[in-house]
Amino acid sequence: MRKILITNDDGIESDRLIRLVKVAKEFGEVWVVAPDGQRSACSHSITVHGMVDIYPFDLGVEGVKAYTCSGSPGDCVRVGSLSVMPYKPDVVLSGINRGYNSATDIQYSGTCGAAFEAAFQEYLGIAISEGFRGNHDVTDKYLRDILAEVIDKKLGFGEIWNINFPECPLEDFQGILRDRTVSVGKFYKDSYKVVETLPNGGKRYVIDGKEVREAEDGSDLRALFDNYISIGIVKNVGL
């Protein structure tokens, strides 16, 4: 039986993680080690100065052992696979993330960071994401089939499967596109705006992203803009 470790970057209480766990149970024995809170955009960071706290957690899914982690998604994979689990996982699933992890956003993604850590530990790493607005129709219909397609397909060192589901209703869904390249385009063009003036001349800024929807043909982001599931292999930046 496959040994499956699941993590995410939205935190262990994410309903999207629960949806992934329930499907993953059909593919093997599932363990969950996920952050105790929001860790989006922490990339492939790990804790090297300080401690990582692990606590049992009642996920409410029968037969699944779950734990919270005080660290990053990368920490979850490292501590989960090297110490919490009594054996190494065959595959690490990271997600389902709230928001696409495609194009240039991959470099910031804690979801992809966890999958890259899995690849570095020589497990199969699969990052799974969907749109952030809350339409799960395509994901819920096709997640099982997509997992079945890739869960036994081994990759090279430092490579991960990156899967993104469009957030369109089923009637607008166009199909599945494989071998998608990583777009150099952008979903958002970011700037920062001042939200508060602080003492001693300080200013408080928050990110202020504007949708631009720029993507080239054949890319992951173009597939999502056109209401396709995007499947691709992503290499770590050092490869």
Side-chain angles (χ1 to χ4, degrees):
M1 177 181 289
R2 296 184 194 89
K3 306 298 188 294
I4 302 170
L5 174 60
I6 297 181
T7 191
N8 70 354
D9 71 1
D10 291 323
I12 200 162
E13 297 190 78
S14 168
D15 65 309
R16 289 170 168 81
L17 181 140
I18 300 294
R19 288 167 47 225
L20 177 57
V21 167
K22 290 179 177 178
V23 174
K25 280 185 61 181
E26 301 175 22
F27 293 88
E29 177 185 325
V30 172
W31 293 68
V32 175
V33 181
D36 56 14
Q38 179 58 250
R39 301 287 193 279
S40 291
C42 66
S43 190
H44 193 169
S45 63
I46 60 171
T47 301
V48 293
H49 301 292
M51 293 170 282
V52 176
D53 299 332
I54 301 289
Y55 286 93
F57 185 85
D58 184 4
L59 201 63
V61 181
E62 185 177 355
V64 173
K65 297 178 178 68
Y67 300 84
T68 64
C69 175
S70 63
S72 68
D75 288 324
C76 292
V77 174
R78 290 169 65 88
V79 180
S81 67
L82 300 177
S83 295
V84 176
M85 294 178 68
Y87 27 67
K88 293 183 177 181
D90 300 301
V91 59
V92 174
L93 306 180
S94 184
I96 301 169
N97 189 67
R98 182 177 183 265
Y100 301 138
N101 280 308
S102 58
T104 52
D105 286 339
I106 290 172
Q107 65 187 323
Y108 305 114
S109 167
T111 304
C112 291
F116 280 125
E117 181 59 40
F120 282 2
Q121 296 295 334
E122 300 188 68
Y123 322 133
L124 180 65
I126 303 174
I128 304 167
S129 307
E130 64 182 2
F132 66 88
R133 292 187 174 91
N135 188 321
H136 310 313
D137 292 356
V138 176
T139 311
D140 289 346
K141 183 174 177 61
Y142 290 95
L143 176 60
R144 185 175 290 100
D145 292 342
I146 299 298
L147 278 181
E149 180 178 330
V150 303
I151 201 166
D152 292 320
K153 288 186 177 178
K154 301 300 183 183
L155 300 174
F157 181 76
E159 295 180 339
I160 66 169
W161 288 107
N162 191 35
I163 302 165
N164 284 270
F165 293 87
E167 58 186 353
C168 62
L170 279 175
E171 56 265 29
D172 295 331
F173 174 60
Q174 299 299 307
I176 302 169
L177 292 177
R178 298 166 178 83
D179 302 319
R180 296 301 92 186
T181 60
V182 178
S183 174
V184 298
K186 298 179 180 178
F187 196 99
Y188 292 100
K189 182 177 182 180
D190 290 333
S191 61
Y192 286 79
K193 63 182 179 181
V194 177
V195 294
E196 187 178 350
T197 300
L198 303 174
N200 302 316
K203 293 180 180 179
R204 180 165 290 162
Y205 291 82
V206 296
I207 198 166
D208 185 27
K210 308 293 185 190
E211 284 194 21
V212 292
R213 290 182 167 266
E214 297 174 351
E216 62 276 25
D217 291 343
S219 69
D220 50 6
L221 201 52
R222 181 76 266 157
L224 294 166
F225 289 161
D226 295 338
N227 294 337
Y228 289 88
I229 294 172
S230 170
I231 303 176
I233 298 171
V234 180
K235 297 177 181 288
N236 185 272
V237 66
L239 298 178

